[in-house]
Amino acid sequence: MSLDVRTITEDDLPGWIRARRTGYLQSPAVSEAELAFRRELMDFPRAQGAFDDGRCVATYRSFTQRLSVPGGASVTANAVSNVSVSATHRRRGLLSRMIDRDLREAAERGDAAATLIAAEYPIYGRFGFGPATRVTEWEVDVPRAGLDPRHAGPGDGGRVDYVDVAGLREHGPALYERVRAARHGLVDRTDVWWRRNTGALPVDDVPWAEPFAVVYRPADGAGRIDGLLVFTADDRWEAKLPHQTATVLDLVAVSPAAERALWLFLLSVDWITRVRTGYRAPDDLLPDLLPDPRAARVVTDADLLWLRPLDVPALLRSRTYPVAGSLVLDVTDVTDVTGVTGPAGPAAGRFLLEAGPDGASCTRTARPADLSLSAAALGSLFLGGESAVRLAALGRAAEERPGAADRADALLRTGRRPWCADIF
């Protein structure tokens, strides 16, 4: 029997959720809370499912996202999520059919790029996605860190205060948008995101437990909030001694002073002997804030946000560049699924980038190429977290003119690593 791949309707939603949960090896039971949550979350014209005799066996959805880029601007991205294929229906081209349609529609809309968080590494490179940000998670042995046990607050005259979930909803969105303008790689947080993460929109039938939250106010800010920390703590004691672990759910800051103050606050809370940092940028300040950085043990180091160029000129024009220069990029964009080569994708072509600290122009050109690379490789380079010299060494980019990879790095690399704080 042929498989029907189509846009889903609200009536399809319970079966679609069941298929997604099955594909993710979660209990297939669908709760009323999750149904309500998904109804608010879904953009139904951009949600697809594959159906076999009426049963949903594969899921896919996309939605509009804003991605911050170097220089403080944002681009519109087609965010891909909830991709699953039931184990009974693998290797039948279902993902290819859904993602090809979605990416064509995204290119027609004028989206600059597509983004996703890859549950499995090998899948998405063949669709033109490249890993664009990495994350590191540390576990800090607080007693070993060597911090001053007399720490009682920021040394810069600022202050740290607890807030409740109402305060999170009030102050969080505006603060996060300020952070996004200062840190590339972050994606926007919708009203649904804030309601979900402050307990106002349950995701399942498990009771929501309110976390701890604090904000940082600088000394000269007239009450302005420059940082936010959300964390949980377990309740573990042994032989009348505390062995509590604090787990960071969110830490965003507009300034290094705010970031330092929030980390030092958390590491000084009585009874906390370990801190799990959550997913941070690889160049996060934390380890070197400690008198003994070896007290911070890396427990995760992995890719997170993947990026696929759709409109190369719009994408490269959207960001700023640390130095002035020009570069001709020859981009190949060919989908190759199970050895079958498809037609050229929207990112294919030769492009002249003329860039500098104040912005850039990018146009199609017939000039000889300086650097040849795939759309996936350009996706990895765009936010500044990967090196063209390294990709050339790996065979994923080719210098057509000597020194082109060094020139690409001079233009594209950024002083701080890109960071995506959220999984979507």
Side-chain angles (χ1 to χ4, degrees), residues 37 41 163-170 172-173 176 187-204 208-213 228-232 248-251 421-424:
F37 169 71
L41 192 67
V163 294
D164 58 16
V165 289
L168 276 180
R169 293 190 200 111
E170 178 185 357
Y176 182 74
V187 298
D188 61 328
R189 292 176 174 177
T190 63
D191 176 65
V192 169
W193 189 97
W194 284 104
R195 289 162 58 208
R196 174 185 179 181
N197 286 276
T198 55
L201 182 59
V203 180
D204 51 38
W208 185 76
E210 181 178 345
F212 304 101
L228 169 70
L229 164 66
V230 183
F231 67 97
T232 62
V248 175
L249 304 181
D250 200 17
L251 193 159
D422 297 323
I423 294 175
F424 52 87

CSV table of all heavy atoms in Angstrom, one decimal, residues 37 41 163-170 172-173 176 187-204 208-213 228-232 248-251 421-424:
chain,number,residue,atom,x,y,z
A,37,PHE,N,-1.0,21.7,24.5
A,37,PHE,CA,0.3,22.4,24.2
A,37,PHE,C,0.6,22.4,22.7
A,37,PHE,O,0.9,23.4,22.2
A,37,PHE,CB,1.4,21.7,25.0
A,37,PHE,CG,2.8,22.1,24.6
A,37,PHE,CD1,3.2,23.4,25.0
A,37,PHE,CD2,3.6,21.3,24.0
A,37,PHE,CE1,4.5,23.8,24.6
A,37,PHE,CE2,4.9,21.6,23.6
A,37,PHE,CZ,5.3,22.9,23.9
A,41,LEU,N,1.3,25.3,19.8
A,41,LEU,CA,2.6,25.3,19.2
A,41,LEU,C,2.6,25.2,17.7
A,41,LEU,O,3.4,25.8,17.0
A,41,LEU,CB,3.4,24.2,19.8
A,41,LEU,CG,4.9,24.2,19.6
A,41,LEU,CD1,5.6,25.4,20.3
A,41,LEU,CD2,5.6,22.9,20.1
A,163,VAL,N,13.6,36.3,42.2
A,163,VAL,CA,12.3,36.6,41.6
A,163,VAL,C,11.4,35.4,41.5
A,163,VAL,O,12.0,34.3,41.5
A,163,VAL,CB,12.4,37.3,40.3
A,163,VAL,CG1,13.1,38.7,40.4
A,163,VAL,CG2,13.1,36.4,39.3
A,164,ASP,N,10.1,35.5,41.5
A,164,ASP,CA,9.2,34.4,41.3
A,164,ASP,C,8.9,34.3,39.8
A,164,ASP,O,9.4,35.0,38.9
A,164,ASP,CB,8.0,34.5,42.1
A,164,ASP,CG,7.2,35.8,41.8
A,164,ASP,OD1,7.5,36.5,40.7
A,164,ASP,OD2,6.3,36.2,42.6
A,165,VAL,N,8.0,33.3,39.4
A,165,VAL,CA,7.7,33.1,38.0
A,165,VAL,C,7.0,34.3,37.4
A,165,VAL,O,7.2,34.5,36.2
A,165,VAL,CB,6.9,31.8,37.8
A,165,VAL,CG1,7.7,30.6,38.1
A,165,VAL,CG2,5.6,31.8,38.7
A,166,ALA,N,6.3,35.0,38.2
A,166,ALA,CA,5.7,36.3,37.6
A,166,ALA,C,6.8,37.2,37.2
A,166,ALA,O,6.7,37.9,36.2
A,166,ALA,CB,4.8,36.9,38.7
A,167,GLY,N,7.9,37.3,38.0
A,167,GLY,CA,9.0,38.2,37.7
A,167,GLY,C,9.7,37.7,36.5
A,167,GLY,O,10.2,38.5,35.6
A,168,LEU,N,9.8,36.3,36.3
A,168,LEU,CA,10.4,35.8,35.1
A,168,LEU,C,9.7,36.2,33.9
A,168,LEU,O,10.2,36.6,32.9
A,168,LEU,CB,10.5,34.2,35.2
A,168,LEU,CG,11.6,33.6,36.0
A,168,LEU,CD1,11.5,32.1,35.9
A,168,LEU,CD2,12.9,34.0,35.4
A,169,ARG,N,8.3,36.0,33.9
A,169,ARG,CA,7.5,36.4,32.8
A,169,ARG,C,7.6,37.9,32.5
A,169,ARG,O,7.5,38.3,31.3
A,169,ARG,CB,6.1,36.0,33.0
A,169,ARG,CG,5.9,34.5,33.1
A,169,ARG,CD,4.4,34.1,33.1
A,169,ARG,NE,4.2,32.8,33.6
A,169,ARG,CZ,3.6,32.5,34.7
A,169,ARG,NH1,3.1,33.5,35.5
A,169,ARG,NH2,3.5,31.3,35.1
A,170,GLU,N,7.7,38.7,33.5
A,170,GLU,CA,7.8,40.1,33.3
A,170,GLU,C,9.1,40.6,32.7
A,170,GLU,O,9.1,41.4,31.8
A,170,GLU,CB,7.5,40.8,34.7
A,170,GLU,CG,7.6,42.3,34.6
A,170,GLU,CD,7.4,43.0,35.9
A,170,GLU,OE1,7.2,42.3,37.0
A,170,GLU,OE2,7.5,44.3,36.0
A,172,GLY,N,11.9,38.5,31.8
A,172,GLY,CA,12.7,37.6,31.0
A,172,GLY,C,12.7,37.9,29.5
A,172,GLY,O,13.8,38.0,28.8
A,173,PRO,N,11.5,38.1,28.9
A,173,PRO,CA,11.5,38.3,27.4
A,173,PRO,C,12.3,39.6,26.9
A,173,PRO,O,13.1,39.5,26.0
A,173,PRO,CB,10.0,38.5,27.1
A,173,PRO,CG,9.3,37.7,28.2
A,173,PRO,CD,10.2,38.0,29.4
A,176,TYR,N,16.1,38.9,27.4
A,176,TYR,CA,16.6,37.9,26.4
A,176,TYR,C,16.8,38.6,25.1
A,176,TYR,O,17.8,38.3,24.4
A,176,TYR,CB,15.7,36.7,26.3
A,176,TYR,CG,16.2,35.7,25.4
A,176,TYR,CD1,17.3,34.9,25.7
A,176,TYR,CD2,15.6,35.5,24.1
A,176,TYR,CE1,17.8,33.9,24.9
A,176,TYR,CE2,16.1,34.6,23.2
A,176,TYR,CZ,17.2,33.8,23.6
A,176,TYR,OH,17.7,32.8,22.7
A,187,VAL,N,18.5,32.0,19.2
A,187,VAL,CA,17.2,32.0,18.5
A,187,VAL,C,16.1,32.6,19.4
A,187,VAL,O,16.3,32.6,20.6
A,187,VAL,CB,16.8,30.6,18.1
A,187,VAL,CG1,17.8,30.0,17.1
A,187,VAL,CG2,16.5,29.7,19.3
A,188,ASP,N,15.1,33.2,18.8
A,188,ASP,CA,14.1,33.9,19.5
A,188,ASP,C,13.3,33.0,20.4
A,188,ASP,O,13.2,31.8,20.1
A,188,ASP,CB,13.2,34.7,18.6
A,188,ASP,CG,12.4,33.8,17.6
A,188,ASP,OD1,13.0,32.8,17.2
A,188,ASP,OD2,11.3,34.2,17.3
A,189,ARG,N,12.7,33.5,21.5
A,189,ARG,CA,11.9,32.8,22.4
A,189,ARG,C,10.5,33.4,22.3
A,189,ARG,O,10.3,34.5,22.6
A,189,ARG,CB,12.4,32.8,23.8
A,189,ARG,CG,13.7,32.1,24.0
A,189,ARG,CD,14.2,32.3,25.5
A,189,ARG,NE,15.4,31.4,25.7
A,189,ARG,CZ,16.1,31.4,26.8
A,189,ARG,NH1,15.8,32.2,27.8
A,189,ARG,NH2,17.2,30.7,26.9
A,190,THR,N,9.5,32.5,21.9
A,190,THR,CA,8.1,33.0,21.7
A,190,THR,C,7.4,33.1,23.1
A,190,THR,O,7.9,32.6,24.1
A,190,THR,CB,7.4,32.0,20.8
A,190,THR,OG1,7.3,30.7,21.5
A,190,THR,CG2,8.1,31.9,19.5
A,191,ASP,N,6.2,33.6,23.0
A,191,ASP,CA,5.3,33.7,24.2
A,191,ASP,C,5.0,32.3,24.7
A,191,ASP,O,5.0,32.0,25.9
A,191,ASP,CB,4.0,34.4,23.9
A,191,ASP,CG,3.1,34.4,25.0
A,191,ASP,OD1,3.4,35.0,26.1
A,191,ASP,OD2,2.0,33.7,24.9
A,192,VAL,N,4.9,31.3,23.8
A,192,VAL,CA,4.7,29.9,24.1
A,192,VAL,C,5.9,29.4,24.9
A,192,VAL,O,5.7,28.7,25.9
A,192,VAL,CB,4.3,29.0,22.9
A,192,VAL,CG1,4.4,27.6,23.3
A,192,VAL,CG2,3.0,29.4,22.3
A,193,TRP,N,7.1,29.7,24.5
A,193,TRP,CA,8.3,29.3,25.2
A,193,TRP,C,8.3,29.8,26.6
A,193,TRP,O,8.6,29.0,27.5
A,193,TRP,CB,9.5,29.8,24.4
A,193,TRP,CG,10.8,29.2,25.0
A,193,TRP,CD1,11.5,28.2,24.5
A,193,TRP,CD2,11.6,29.7,26.1
A,193,TRP,NE1,12.7,27.9,25.2
A,193,TRP,CE2,12.7,28.8,26.3
A,193,TRP,CE3,11.4,30.7,27.1
A,193,TRP,CZ2,13.6,29.0,27.3
A,193,TRP,CZ3,12.3,30.8,28.1
A,193,TRP,CH2,13.4,30.0,28.2
A,194,TRP,N,8.0,31.1,26.8
A,194,TRP,CA,8.0,31.6,28.1
A,194,TRP,C,6.9,31.0,29.0
A,194,TRP,O,7.2,30.7,30.2
A,194,TRP,CB,7.9,33.2,28.1
A,194,TRP,CG,9.2,33.8,27.6
A,194,TRP,CD1,9.5,34.3,26.4
A,194,TRP,CD2,10.4,33.9,28.4
A,194,TRP,NE1,10.8,34.8,26.3
A,194,TRP,CE2,11.3,34.5,27.6
A,194,TRP,CE3,10.8,33.6,29.7
A,194,TRP,CZ2,12.6,34.8,28.0
A,194,TRP,CZ3,12.0,33.9,30.1
A,194,TRP,CH2,13.0,34.5,29.3
A,195,ARG,N,5.8,30.8,28.5
A,195,ARG,CA,4.7,30.2,29.3
A,195,ARG,C,5.0,28.8,29.6
A,195,ARG,O,4.8,28.3,30.7
A,195,ARG,CB,3.4,30.3,28.5
A,195,ARG,CG,2.8,31.7,28.4
A,195,ARG,CD,1.8,31.9,27.3
A,195,ARG,NE,0.7,31.0,27.5
A,195,ARG,CZ,0.0,30.5,26.5
A,195,ARG,NH1,0.3,30.8,25.2
A,195,ARG,NH2,-1.0,29.7,26.7
A,196,ARG,N,5.6,28.0,28.7
A,196,ARG,CA,6.0,26.6,28.9
A,196,ARG,C,7.0,26.6,30.0
A,196,ARG,O,7.0,25.7,30.9
A,196,ARG,CB,6.5,26.0,27.7
A,196,ARG,CG,7.1,24.6,27.9
A,196,ARG,CD,7.7,24.1,26.6
A,196,ARG,NE,8.2,22.7,26.8
A,196,ARG,CZ,8.8,22.0,25.9
A,196,ARG,NH1,9.0,22.5,24.7
A,196,ARG,NH2,9.3,20.8,26.1
A,197,ASN,N,8.0,27.5,30.0
A,197,ASN,CA,9.1,27.4,30.9
A,197,ASN,C,8.9,28.1,32.2
A,197,ASN,O,9.8,28.2,33.1
A,197,ASN,CB,10.4,27.9,30.2
A,197,ASN,CG,10.9,26.9,29.2
A,197,ASN,OD1,11.6,26.0,29.6
A,197,ASN,ND2,10.6,27.1,28.0
A,198,THR,N,7.7,28.7,32.4
A,198,THR,CA,7.3,29.3,33.7
A,198,THR,C,6.1,28.6,34.3
A,198,THR,O,5.5,29.2,35.2
A,198,THR,CB,7.1,30.8,33.6
A,198,THR,OG1,6.1,31.1,32.6
A,198,THR,CG2,8.4,31.5,33.2
A,199,GLY,N,5.7,27.5,33.7
A,199,GLY,CA,4.6,26.7,34.3
A,199,GLY,C,3.2,27.1,33.9
A,199,GLY,O,2.2,26.5,34.4
A,200,ALA,N,3.1,28.1,33.1
A,200,ALA,CA,1.7,28.6,32.7
A,200,ALA,C,1.1,27.7,31.6
A,200,ALA,O,-0.1,27.8,31.4
A,200,ALA,CB,1.8,30.1,32.2
A,201,LEU,N,1.9,26.9,30.9
A,201,LEU,CA,1.4,26.1,29.8
A,201,LEU,C,2.0,24.7,30.0
A,201,LEU,O,3.1,24.4,29.6
A,201,LEU,CB,1.8,26.6,28.5
A,201,LEU,CG,1.3,25.9,27.2
A,201,LEU,CD1,-0.2,25.8,27.2
A,201,LEU,CD2,1.9,26.5,25.9
A,202,PRO,N,1.3,23.8,30.7
A,202,PRO,CA,1.8,22.5,31.0
A,202,PRO,C,2.0,21.7,29.7
A,202,PRO,O,1.3,21.8,28.7
A,202,PRO,CB,0.7,21.8,31.8
A,202,PRO,CG,-0.2,22.9,32.3
A,202,PRO,CD,-0.1,24.0,31.3
A,203,VAL,N,3.0,20.9,29.7
A,203,VAL,CA,3.4,20.0,28.5
A,203,VAL,C,2.8,18.6,28.7
A,203,VAL,O,2.5,18.0,27.7
A,203,VAL,CB,4.9,20.0,28.3
A,203,VAL,CG1,5.2,19.2,27.1
A,203,VAL,CG2,5.4,21.4,28.1
A,204,ASP,N,2.8,18.2,29.9
A,204,ASP,CA,2.2,16.8,30.2
A,204,ASP,C,1.5,16.9,31.5
A,204,ASP,O,1.3,17.9,32.1
A,204,ASP,CB,3.3,15.8,30.1
A,204,ASP,CG,4.5,16.2,31.0
A,204,ASP,OD1,4.3,16.7,32.1
A,204,ASP,OD2,5.7,15.9,30.6
A,208,TRP,N,4.1,20.7,37.5
A,208,TRP,CA,5.3,21.5,37.3
A,208,TRP,C,5.9,22.0,38.6
A,208,TRP,O,5.1,22.4,39.5
A,208,TRP,CB,4.9,22.7,36.5
A,208,TRP,CG,6.0,23.6,36.0
A,208,TRP,CD1,6.9,23.3,35.1
A,208,TRP,CD2,6.4,24.9,36.6
A,208,TRP,NE1,7.8,24.4,34.9
A,208,TRP,CE2,7.5,25.3,35.9
A,208,TRP,CE3,5.8,25.7,37.6
A,208,TRP,CZ2,8.1,26.6,36.1
A,208,TRP,CZ3,6.4,26.9,37.9
A,208,TRP,CH2,7.6,27.3,37.2
A,209,ALA,N,7.2,21.9,38.7
A,209,ALA,CA,7.9,22.3,40.0
A,209,ALA,C,8.6,23.7,39.7
A,209,ALA,O,9.4,23.7,38.8
A,209,ALA,CB,8.9,21.3,40.4
A,210,GLU,N,8.3,24.7,40.4
A,210,GLU,CA,8.9,26.0,40.2
A,210,GLU,C,10.3,26.0,40.6
A,210,GLU,O,10.7,25.5,41.6
A,210,GLU,CB,8.2,27.0,41.1
A,210,GLU,CG,8.7,28.4,40.9
A,210,GLU,CD,8.0,29.5,41.7
A,210,GLU,OE1,6.9,29.2,42.2
A,210,GLU,OE2,8.5,30.6,41.9
A,211,PRO,N,11.2,26.4,39.6
A,211,PRO,CA,12.6,26.5,39.9
A,211,PRO,C,13.0,27.8,40.7
A,211,PRO,O,12.1,28.6,41.0
A,211,PRO,CB,13.3,26.5,38.5
A,211,PRO,CG,12.3,27.3,37.7
A,211,PRO,CD,10.9,26.9,38.3
A,212,PHE,N,14.2,27.9,41.1
A,212,PHE,CA,14.7,29.1,41.7
A,212,PHE,C,15.1,30.1,40.6
A,212,PHE,O,15.6,29.6,39.5
A,212,PHE,CB,15.9,28.9,42.6
A,212,PHE,CG,15.6,27.9,43.7
A,212,PHE,CD1,16.0,26.6,43.6
A,212,PHE,CD2,14.9,28.3,44.8
A,212,PHE,CE1,15.8,25.7,44.6
A,212,PHE,CE2,14.7,27.4,45.9
A,212,PHE,CZ,15.1,26.1,45.7
A,213,ALA,N,15.0,31.4,40.8
A,213,ALA,CA,15.4,32.4,39.8
A,213,ALA,C,15.9,33.6,40.4
A,213,ALA,O,15.4,34.1,41.4
A,213,ALA,CB,14.2,32.7,38.8
A,228,LEU,N,20.0,37.1,34.2
A,228,LEU,CA,19.0,36.2,34.7
A,228,LEU,C,19.5,34.8,34.9
A,228,LEU,O,20.2,34.3,34.0
A,228,LEU,CB,17.8,36.2,33.8
A,228,LEU,CG,16.7,35.1,34.0
A,228,LEU,CD1,15.9,35.4,35.3
A,228,LEU,CD2,15.7,35.1,32.8
A,229,LEU,N,19.3,34.2,36.0
A,229,LEU,CA,19.7,32.8,36.3
A,229,LEU,C,18.5,32.0,36.8
A,229,LEU,O,17.8,32.4,37.7
A,229,LEU,CB,20.8,32.8,37.3
A,229,LEU,CG,21.2,31.5,38.0
A,229,LEU,CD1,21.7,30.4,37.0
A,229,LEU,CD2,22.1,31.7,39.2
A,230,VAL,N,18.3,30.8,36.2
A,230,VAL,CA,17.2,29.9,36.7
A,230,VAL,C,17.9,28.6,37.0
A,230,VAL,O,18.6,28.1,36.1
A,230,VAL,CB,16.1,29.8,35.6
A,230,VAL,CG1,15.0,28.9,36.1
A,230,VAL,CG2,15.6,31.1,35.2
A,231,PHE,N,17.6,28.0,38.1
A,231,PHE,CA,18.2,26.7,38.5
A,231,PHE,C,17.3,25.9,39.4
A,231,PHE,O,16.4,26.4,40.0
A,231,PHE,CB,19.6,27.0,39.1
A,231,PHE,CG,19.5,27.7,40.5
A,231,PHE,CD1,19.6,26.9,41.7
A,231,PHE,CD2,19.4,29.1,40.6
A,231,PHE,CE1,19.6,27.5,42.9
A,231,PHE,CE2,19.4,29.7,41.8
A,231,PHE,CZ,19.4,28.9,43.0
A,232,THR,N,17.7,24.6,39.5
A,232,THR,CA,17.0,23.7,40.4
A,232,THR,C,18.1,23.2,41.4
A,232,THR,O,19.3,23.3,41.1
A,232,THR,CB,16.3,22.6,39.7
A,232,THR,OG1,17.3,21.8,39.0
A,232,THR,CG2,15.2,23.1,38.8
A,248,VAL,N,21.7,24.2,36.3
A,248,VAL,CA,21.3,25.5,35.6
A,248,VAL,C,20.3,25.2,34.5
A,248,VAL,O,20.6,24.4,33.6
A,248,VAL,CB,22.5,26.2,35.1
A,248,VAL,CG1,22.1,27.5,34.3
A,248,VAL,CG2,23.4,26.6,36.3
A,249,LEU,N,19.2,25.8,34.5
A,249,LEU,CA,18.2,25.7,33.4
A,249,LEU,C,18.4,26.9,32.4
A,249,LEU,O,18.1,26.7,31.2
A,249,LEU,CB,16.8,25.8,34.0
A,249,LEU,CG,16.4,24.7,35.0
A,249,LEU,CD1,15.0,24.8,35.5
A,249,LEU,CD2,16.7,23.3,34.5
A,250,ASP,N,18.8,28.0,32.9
A,250,ASP,CA,19.0,29.2,32.0
A,250,ASP,C,19.9,30.2,32.7
A,250,ASP,O,19.8,30.4,33.9
A,250,ASP,CB,17.6,29.8,31.8
A,250,ASP,CG,17.6,30.7,30.6
A,250,ASP,OD1,18.5,30.6,29.7
A,250,ASP,OD2,16.6,31.5,30.4
A,251,LEU,N,20.8,30.7,32.0
A,251,LEU,CA,21.7,31.8,32.5
A,251,LEU,C,22.0,32.7,31.2
A,251,LEU,O,22.7,32.3,30.3
A,251,LEU,CB,22.9,31.3,33.1
A,251,LEU,CG,23.7,32.4,33.9
A,251,LEU,CD1,24.7,31.7,34.9
A,251,LEU,CD2,24.6,33.3,33.0
A,421,ALA,N,21.3,28.7,22.9
A,421,ALA,CA,21.0,28.3,24.3
A,421,ALA,C,19.8,27.3,24.4
A,421,ALA,O,19.6,26.7,25.4
A,421,ALA,CB,20.6,29.5,25.2
A,422,ASP,N,19.0,27.1,23.3
A,422,ASP,CA,17.8,26.4,23.4
A,422,ASP,C,17.7,25.2,22.4
A,422,ASP,O,18.2,25.3,21.3
A,422,ASP,CB,16.6,27.3,23.1
A,422,ASP,CG,16.5,28.4,24.1
A,422,ASP,OD1,16.8,28.2,25.3
A,422,ASP,OD2,16.2,29.6,23.7
A,423,ILE,N,17.1,24.2,22.8
A,423,ILE,CA,16.7,23.1,21.9
A,423,ILE,C,15.3,23.2,21.5
A,423,ILE,O,14.4,23.6,22.3
A,423,ILE,CB,16.9,21.7,22.7
A,423,ILE,CG1,18.4,21.5,23.0
A,423,ILE,CG2,16.4,20.6,21.9
A,423,ILE,CD1,18.7,20.3,23.8
A,424,PHE,N,15.0,23.0,20.2
A,424,PHE,CA,13.6,23.3,19.7
A,424,PHE,C,13.2,22.1,18.8
A,424,PHE,O,14.0,21.3,18.4
A,424,PHE,CB,13.6,24.6,18.9
A,424,PHE,CG,14.6,24.8,17.9
A,424,PHE,CD1,14.3,24.3,16.6
A,424,PHE,CD2,15.8,25.4,18.1
A,424,PHE,CE1,15.3,24.4,15.6
A,424,PHE,CE2,16.8,25.5,17.1
A,424,PHE,CZ,16.5,25.0,15.8
